[in-house]
Amino acid sequence: MELEKAYNPTEAESTHYKKWEANGCFAPEINENREAEAFSIVIPPPNVTGSLHMGHALQHTLMDVLTRWKRMQGYRTLFLVGVDHAGISTQLMVTRQLKKEEHKTPQDIGREAFTEKVWAWKKQYGDTITKQIRREGLSVDWSRERFTMDESLSIAVRNVFVTLYEEGWIYRGNRIINWCPKDKTVLSDLEVKEETKKDGKLYYLQYPVKDTAETSASASVPRRITVATTRPETMLGDTAVAVNPDDERYADLIGKTIELPLTNREIKIIADDYVESDFGTGAVKITPAHDPNDYEIGLRHDLEQINIMNNDATMNENAGAEFEGLDRFVAREKVIEKFEELGLLEKIDDYEVVLPHCERCKTVVEPLLSDQWFVNMSEMRDLALGLMKKDGVPHFSPQVPHEKVYTTWLENLKDWTISRQLWWGHQIPAWYDEVGNVFVAKTEKEAIAKAGTKNLTQDPDVLDTWFSSALWSFSTLGWNGDVTETEDLKTFHPTSVLVTGRDIIFLWVSRMVMTSLKFVGEKPFDDVIIHGTVLDKNGQRMSKTKNNGVDPLDVFDKFGVDATRITLAGSSTGADFAWRDEKVESFRNFANKIWNATRFCLMNSEGAKVDFASLNNTENLSIADKWIISRFNKTATALNKALETYQFHEAVQLLYHFFWDDFCDWYIELVKDEMTAEESSPKRDETRSRIVTILEQSLRLLHPFMPFLTEELWHKLPATSNALHHSAYKNADATIMLADFPKGDASMFDEKAEAEMQAVIYLITKVRNIRAEMSIKPSDKPAIHIAASGHLQRVFRENEAQILKLARATDLLVGEKLDVPKASAKAVLTGGAELAIPLEGLIDFDKEIERLENQISKLGVEGERLEKQLSNQNFVERAPVEKVQDLKDRMTEIETQSAALKQSLDALK
RNA sequence: GCCGACUUAGCUCAGUGGUAGAGCAUCCGCUUCACACGCGGGAGGUCACAAGUUCAAAUCUUGUAGUCGGUACCA
């Protein structure tokens, strides 16, 4: 069998996934071991409206690497997939479509027809994400796919709502909330993003104070009090002006009345500690219906709350006939004009102002007074904090800074605004009778029973999308409040690890912890991996507005899914990183390297089979064999350790260097002659079996990262079958994804073989170095002279054939001493050995002198540093003994080597 | 304002109380019978700056500067 010259991912990516899925490899039921320990991950459900971006690809890769790795280790593995209904986003998209196609608004067609349209839309476009997830190769169990608006998940939402209401944690209240005038809904604090506006203004408005004419300079003009504001239009809703009680400037005005300009109202001057005398004018206009602080002051002083805006941020009738119907920003201009006309505009200062924006549509959010549903989080918050304090759960990776950020946020947690003025989502299970009494119940029927009347209207609002996501870890496993025990819950909850971005630690992670503790009575997961953000190549955040996003699908097409996956995993240290196509390109090359190494093995595979016994037959093993077996087991051990601690970058480095450097650059080259021998022989078969076996084991290590390539190649290796599966999958159809993941066997570590091989590698490298520096043509084959101790002599002789081949030499002469002509290039090796290459007629003496001087000077620099350190009494006395001994040994080696090089140099001069 | 992270080779990034690492780029040489998506050999860094702790600091502490986050807020 001969492979194509280069790996083309297309075919592998289009065939294996279907087969894995059809064979049920992704479902936990594939595991035949009833006692198997469970490993479970729930996907952070992507928005049903969305398509994948690079952040998803990263996150999904990490989850799949862990899942495939654990599955191969024999765990009963569940990677649960699903999507989120994403209330606002989805409603906006369908609204836009409706407008474009039918020139209608949701109100035109009504709630029922509109939500039907959203469902239809969801059915049509909702599988964009799932197709992409298949493309990524994720080993998710499609039979357990969930949607946040599935029947059972919706029942869970209603049960949780009712319970929290009945226990008094959920309440309906009239509060200052964040209002998005474009989306026309309330937003929670977490959905509001602050943005600094550099060119903002601070307006100073003068309010005339009644009955103060006698204290003014002019007998007929009343005194004025100046207030500063960034939102002058809200003065139309002012119901007081506040000053600090200790502010002498205003002491005599407290209790006086202001004739509020542009309105017919009179408002009081009040005293409140909240006002800071040093800031602005020391007098603050109070608008209780449009500012959270003013609202609080209003409550303290029993002030009237005047709402002056409609839900689209135009002014309403309370703003007065002149302003009614004007947009808030137009009204602002007009208020300023009027004040100017009245001579009451003192000044306008430039002012850097921080404005809250709607996270989704970027509209400036308006704080206003509104009736909404809230959750008081204090009980659940304490449960979550207790879990962290007691068990350190969830364990964040990296722990710094996320654990602290999470804890601090919980400690300062405020009530959660959960109602949304939307139609797409879970409608709030609350009904009102004709006089406004509220009945919260799981179903309308129960509400009717409670109310004693059928004449009820359900609250039109829906719940925040994150309310249902908060239940995701257990609602997806069957918990819905009516049903509280299922096999899946018992087996897979708590889940093992959650992988997500830091932007939703508060929105999602913390809330899952809280609801899980409250409703299931246990943590939702042990560990939380917070991955970094994928930035563009200039280190900027990718965004639609900047149009600097990189589409994973394009990268898949260009470089293959496996190359993309291993690039992402290899970049993942928890820190943000800039995307570079060149990185994927180098891993595409890595994929091709794996392909070609396999190709070469298959070209010489007659008589070979994957057979673990070939690695255990120590009698027939060469130094190189022992070396690669040792290297493999160390790599496997370190790889498992890296994955246990979620060190994905480390894991990829280990694989890359083991496979490319150790296996391809050295092992294949070292055994090439034996492998490609023309005569078939038991020895050749053994060599071939050995290398194919190591290759097969390596493919297993690579599989979690590069599933398609490894599956493709694995099936081509001789004698691969389900006999290589982990025992938990012994009856399943043969696939590498169920093969036993190599643990790494410490008894196969061979320090002696590694040291010996290292000496050989060093020798070959030195000869190559001399060849390159002395410009020896590849076709010229010199002899290699070596002086070495008895043990090293034996090692070099044992590897004579390989040394001659890889160093391109004719003879290897090993002895106690060097006996070579003056016209030789020399170098020192480890263990006091020396190397010489006679170059009669080829040597350039000046070049060789330069070479030797260069080496001597390098050793000299190191020697000086060691000398200095070893002559430091403090060091010798206080440093660990082994450390001191190491340095002494190294010093001796340097002295020996320097002496040898100097001798060679003298001989040339 | 408060909290935090980062600053290492031209670029993107690892790393660690004890002789500075990778990939890419760069330089030199190779159609060596798996691979030019390759092979071989080089060059390149006072690990942001300053002080401190230590036998030893790029690594720990503090401060400074720059970059980027999170979060709060004074009208």
Side-chain angles (χ1 to χ4, degrees), chain A residues 156-173:
Chain A
V157 164
R158 288 197 293 273
N159 272 311
V160 165
F161 187 97
V162 171
T163 304
L164 290 174
Y165 178 80
E166 285 172 352
E167 293 183 8
W169 302 116
I170 283 183
Y171 64 93
R172 187 171 166 80

PDB file of all heavy atoms in Angstrom, chain A residues 156-173:
ATOM      1  N   ALA A 156     -38.230  22.707  34.013  1.00  0.00           N
ATOM      2  CA  ALA A 156     -37.219  23.012  35.036  1.00  0.00           C
ATOM      3  C   ALA A 156     -37.233  24.497  35.365  1.00  0.00           C
ATOM      4  O   ALA A 156     -37.207  24.898  36.532  1.00  0.00           O
ATOM      5  CB  ALA A 156     -35.837  22.583  34.556  1.00  0.00           C
ATOM      6  N   VAL A 157     -37.282  25.314  34.334  1.00  0.00           N
ATOM      7  CA  VAL A 157     -37.287  26.764  34.530  1.00  0.00           C
ATOM      8  C   VAL A 157     -38.493  27.185  35.376  1.00  0.00           C
ATOM      9  O   VAL A 157     -38.360  27.941  36.340  1.00  0.00           O
ATOM     10  CB  VAL A 157     -37.316  27.486  33.167  1.00  0.00           C
ATOM     11  CG1 VAL A 157     -37.717  28.947  33.320  1.00  0.00           C
ATOM     12  CG2 VAL A 157     -35.949  27.380  32.495  1.00  0.00           C
ATOM     13  N   ARG A 158     -39.658  26.664  35.030  1.00  0.00           N
ATOM     14  CA  ARG A 158     -40.863  27.069  35.767  1.00  0.00           C
ATOM     15  C   ARG A 158     -40.809  26.596  37.216  1.00  0.00           C
ATOM     16  O   ARG A 158     -41.167  27.328  38.139  1.00  0.00           O
ATOM     17  CB  ARG A 158     -42.112  26.519  35.075  1.00  0.00           C
ATOM     18  CG  ARG A 158     -42.410  27.247  33.761  1.00  0.00           C
ATOM     19  CD  ARG A 158     -43.838  27.005  33.300  1.00  0.00           C
ATOM     20  NE  ARG A 158     -44.106  25.631  32.918  1.00  0.00           N
ATOM     21  CZ  ARG A 158     -43.888  25.132  31.691  1.00  0.00           C
ATOM     22  NH1 ARG A 158     -43.390  25.903  30.734  1.00  0.00           N
ATOM     23  NH2 ARG A 158     -44.159  23.886  31.428  1.00  0.00           N
ATOM     24  N   ASN A 159     -40.314  25.370  37.416  1.00  0.00           N
ATOM     25  CA  ASN A 159     -40.222  24.870  38.789  1.00  0.00           C
ATOM     26  C   ASN A 159     -39.269  25.692  39.645  1.00  0.00           C
ATOM     27  O   ASN A 159     -39.544  25.982  40.803  1.00  0.00           O
ATOM     28  CB  ASN A 159     -39.788  23.398  38.788  1.00  0.00           C
ATOM     29  CG  ASN A 159     -40.978  22.464  38.673  1.00  0.00           C
ATOM     30  OD1 ASN A 159     -41.957  22.610  39.406  1.00  0.00           O
ATOM     31  ND2 ASN A 159     -40.921  21.535  37.740  1.00  0.00           N
ATOM     32  N   VAL A 160     -38.156  26.054  39.040  1.00  0.00           N
ATOM     33  CA  VAL A 160     -37.177  26.849  39.782  1.00  0.00           C
ATOM     34  C   VAL A 160     -37.773  28.217  40.114  1.00  0.00           C
ATOM     35  O   VAL A 160     -37.647  28.722  41.229  1.00  0.00           O
ATOM     36  CB  VAL A 160     -35.874  26.988  38.960  1.00  0.00           C
ATOM     37  CG1 VAL A 160     -34.987  28.089  39.519  1.00  0.00           C
ATOM     38  CG2 VAL A 160     -35.116  25.660  38.950  1.00  0.00           C
ATOM     39  N   PHE A 161     -38.466  28.777  39.126  1.00  0.00           N
ATOM     40  CA  PHE A 161     -39.069  30.091  39.347  1.00  0.00           C
ATOM     41  C   PHE A 161     -40.081  30.031  40.492  1.00  0.00           C
ATOM     42  O   PHE A 161     -40.049  30.845  41.415  1.00  0.00           O
ATOM     43  CB  PHE A 161     -39.738  30.580  38.059  1.00  0.00           C
ATOM     44  CG  PHE A 161     -40.244  31.994  38.146  1.00  0.00           C
ATOM     45  CD1 PHE A 161     -39.486  33.050  37.647  1.00  0.00           C
ATOM     46  CD2 PHE A 161     -41.475  32.280  38.724  1.00  0.00           C
ATOM     47  CE1 PHE A 161     -39.936  34.360  37.736  1.00  0.00           C
ATOM     48  CE2 PHE A 161     -41.943  33.579  38.832  1.00  0.00           C
ATOM     49  CZ  PHE A 161     -41.177  34.630  38.328  1.00  0.00           C
ATOM     50  N   VAL A 162     -40.941  29.035  40.433  1.00  0.00           N
ATOM     51  CA  VAL A 162     -41.999  28.937  41.439  1.00  0.00           C
ATOM     52  C   VAL A 162     -41.400  28.732  42.835  1.00  0.00           C
ATOM     53  O   VAL A 162     -41.795  29.387  43.801  1.00  0.00           O
ATOM     54  CB  VAL A 162     -42.971  27.782  41.100  1.00  0.00           C
ATOM     55  CG1 VAL A 162     -43.938  27.522  42.259  1.00  0.00           C
ATOM     56  CG2 VAL A 162     -43.738  28.099  39.823  1.00  0.00           C
ATOM     57  N   THR A 163     -40.410  27.844  42.912  1.00  0.00           N
ATOM     58  CA  THR A 163     -39.783  27.591  44.214  1.00  0.00           C
ATOM     59  C   THR A 163     -39.159  28.856  44.785  1.00  0.00           C
ATOM     60  O   THR A 163     -39.361  29.203  45.951  1.00  0.00           O
ATOM     61  CB  THR A 163     -38.707  26.496  44.086  1.00  0.00           C
ATOM     62  OG1 THR A 163     -39.315  25.330  43.540  1.00  0.00           O
ATOM     63  CG2 THR A 163     -38.103  26.176  45.449  1.00  0.00           C
ATOM     64  N   LEU A 164     -38.394  29.544  43.942  1.00  0.00           N
ATOM     65  CA  LEU A 164     -37.735  30.755  44.429  1.00  0.00           C
ATOM     66  C   LEU A 164     -38.760  31.823  44.814  1.00  0.00           C
ATOM     67  O   LEU A 164     -38.562  32.575  45.762  1.00  0.00           O
ATOM     68  CB  LEU A 164     -36.770  31.306  43.363  1.00  0.00           C
ATOM     69  CG  LEU A 164     -35.513  30.460  43.128  1.00  0.00           C
ATOM     70  CD1 LEU A 164     -34.703  31.021  41.965  1.00  0.00           C
ATOM     71  CD2 LEU A 164     -34.641  30.392  44.379  1.00  0.00           C
ATOM     72  N   TYR A 165     -39.862  31.852  44.086  1.00  0.00           N
ATOM     73  CA  TYR A 165     -40.913  32.821  44.421  1.00  0.00           C
ATOM     74  C   TYR A 165     -41.551  32.469  45.760  1.00  0.00           C
ATOM     75  O   TYR A 165     -41.712  33.321  46.635  1.00  0.00           O
ATOM     76  CB  TYR A 165     -41.975  32.844  43.326  1.00  0.00           C
ATOM     77  CG  TYR A 165     -43.119  33.784  43.644  1.00  0.00           C
ATOM     78  CD1 TYR A 165     -42.987  35.161  43.435  1.00  0.00           C
ATOM     79  CD2 TYR A 165     -44.326  33.305  44.170  1.00  0.00           C
ATOM     80  CE1 TYR A 165     -44.023  36.034  43.742  1.00  0.00           C
ATOM     81  CE2 TYR A 165     -45.368  34.156  44.477  1.00  0.00           C
ATOM     82  CZ  TYR A 165     -45.216  35.525  44.265  1.00  0.00           C
ATOM     83  OH  TYR A 165     -46.234  36.390  44.569  1.00  0.00           O
ATOM     84  N   GLU A 166     -41.859  31.181  45.892  1.00  0.00           N
ATOM     85  CA  GLU A 166     -42.534  30.772  47.122  1.00  0.00           C
ATOM     86  C   GLU A 166     -41.645  30.952  48.346  1.00  0.00           C
ATOM     87  O   GLU A 166     -42.115  31.211  49.435  1.00  0.00           O
ATOM     88  CB  GLU A 166     -43.014  29.315  47.008  1.00  0.00           C
ATOM     89  CG  GLU A 166     -44.241  29.226  46.101  1.00  0.00           C
ATOM     90  CD  GLU A 166     -44.658  27.797  45.788  1.00  0.00           C
ATOM     91  OE1 GLU A 166     -43.907  26.865  46.155  1.00  0.00           O
ATOM     92  OE2 GLU A 166     -45.720  27.627  45.149  1.00  0.00           O
ATOM     93  N   GLU A 167     -40.346  30.824  48.135  1.00  0.00           N
ATOM     94  CA  GLU A 167     -39.428  31.023  49.264  1.00  0.00           C
ATOM     95  C   GLU A 167     -39.091  32.493  49.469  1.00  0.00           C
ATOM     96  O   GLU A 167     -38.317  32.837  50.358  1.00  0.00           O
ATOM     97  CB  GLU A 167     -38.142  30.216  49.042  1.00  0.00           C
ATOM     98  CG  GLU A 167     -38.384  28.715  49.083  1.00  0.00           C
ATOM     99  CD  GLU A 167     -37.099  27.912  48.942  1.00  0.00           C
ATOM    100  OE1 GLU A 167     -36.008  28.514  48.956  1.00  0.00           O
ATOM    101  OE2 GLU A 167     -37.203  26.685  48.793  1.00  0.00           O
ATOM    102  N   GLY A 168     -39.625  33.334  48.614  1.00  0.00           N
ATOM    103  CA  GLY A 168     -39.422  34.766  48.803  1.00  0.00           C
ATOM    104  C   GLY A 168     -38.179  35.345  48.144  1.00  0.00           C
ATOM    105  O   GLY A 168     -37.864  36.515  48.330  1.00  0.00           O
ATOM    106  N   TRP A 169     -37.477  34.545  47.366  1.00  0.00           N
ATOM    107  CA  TRP A 169     -36.261  35.057  46.724  1.00  0.00           C
ATOM    108  C   TRP A 169     -36.582  35.807  45.434  1.00  0.00           C
ATOM    109  O   TRP A 169     -35.869  36.729  45.052  1.00  0.00           O
ATOM    110  CB  TRP A 169     -35.278  33.926  46.433  1.00  0.00           C
ATOM    111  CG  TRP A 169     -34.871  33.168  47.656  1.00  0.00           C
ATOM    112  CD1 TRP A 169     -35.110  31.853  47.931  1.00  0.00           C
ATOM    113  CD2 TRP A 169     -34.170  33.684  48.790  1.00  0.00           C
ATOM    114  NE1 TRP A 169     -34.598  31.517  49.161  1.00  0.00           N
ATOM    115  CE2 TRP A 169     -34.021  32.615  49.710  1.00  0.00           C
ATOM    116  CE3 TRP A 169     -33.657  34.944  49.142  1.00  0.00           C
ATOM    117  CZ2 TRP A 169     -33.374  32.763  50.940  1.00  0.00           C
ATOM    118  CZ3 TRP A 169     -33.007  35.098  50.362  1.00  0.00           C
ATOM    119  CH2 TRP A 169     -32.871  34.009  51.248  1.00  0.00           C
ATOM    120  N   ILE A 170     -37.614  35.380  44.752  1.00  0.00           N
ATOM    121  CA  ILE A 170     -38.039  36.095  43.558  1.00  0.00           C
ATOM    122  C   ILE A 170     -39.179  37.039  43.930  1.00  0.00           C
ATOM    123  O   ILE A 170     -40.080  36.657  44.677  1.00  0.00           O
ATOM    124  CB  ILE A 170     -38.498  35.116  42.447  1.00  0.00           C
ATOM    125  CG1 ILE A 170     -37.282  34.479  41.776  1.00  0.00           C
ATOM    126  CG2 ILE A 170     -39.358  35.831  41.396  1.00  0.00           C
ATOM    127  CD1 ILE A 170     -37.609  33.556  40.614  1.00  0.00           C
ATOM    128  N   TYR A 171     -39.074  38.264  43.459  1.00  0.00           N
ATOM    129  CA  TYR A 171     -40.137  39.241  43.761  1.00  0.00           C
ATOM    130  C   TYR A 171     -40.305  40.175  42.577  1.00  0.00           C
ATOM    131  O   TYR A 171     -39.442  40.283  41.707  1.00  0.00           O
ATOM    132  CB  TYR A 171     -39.770  40.036  45.019  1.00  0.00           C
ATOM    133  CG  TYR A 171     -38.528  40.880  44.874  1.00  0.00           C
ATOM    134  CD1 TYR A 171     -38.606  42.220  44.484  1.00  0.00           C
ATOM    135  CD2 TYR A 171     -37.255  40.337  45.104  1.00  0.00           C
ATOM    136  CE1 TYR A 171     -37.463  42.993  44.336  1.00  0.00           C
ATOM    137  CE2 TYR A 171     -36.110  41.101  44.949  1.00  0.00           C
ATOM    138  CZ  TYR A 171     -36.219  42.431  44.567  1.00  0.00           C
ATOM    139  OH  TYR A 171     -35.095  43.181  44.402  1.00  0.00           O
ATOM    140  N   ARG A 172     -41.445  40.828  42.562  1.00  0.00           N
ATOM    141  CA  ARG A 172     -41.682  41.830  41.534  1.00  0.00           C
ATOM    142  C   ARG A 172     -41.588  43.189  42.212  1.00  0.00           C
ATOM    143  O   ARG A 172     -42.133  43.396  43.287  1.00  0.00           O
ATOM    144  CB  ARG A 172     -43.075  41.644  40.935  1.00  0.00           C
ATOM    145  CG  ARG A 172     -43.360  42.523  39.754  1.00  0.00           C
ATOM    146  CD  ARG A 172     -44.684  42.092  39.105  1.00  0.00           C
ATOM    147  NE  ARG A 172     -45.165  43.102  38.180  1.00  0.00           N
ATOM    148  CZ  ARG A 172     -44.701  43.251  36.948  1.00  0.00           C
ATOM    149  NH1 ARG A 172     -43.753  42.456  36.496  1.00  0.00           N
ATOM    150  NH2 ARG A 172     -45.178  44.197  36.159  1.00  0.00           N
ATOM    151  N   GLY A 173     -40.853  44.113  41.603  1.00  0.00           N
ATOM    152  CA  GLY A 173     -40.665  45.399  42.255  1.00  0.00           C
ATOM    153  C   GLY A 173     -40.511  46.533  41.264  1.00  0.00           C
ATOM    154  O   GLY A 173     -40.269  46.315  40.080  1.00  0.00           O
TER     155      GLY A 173
END
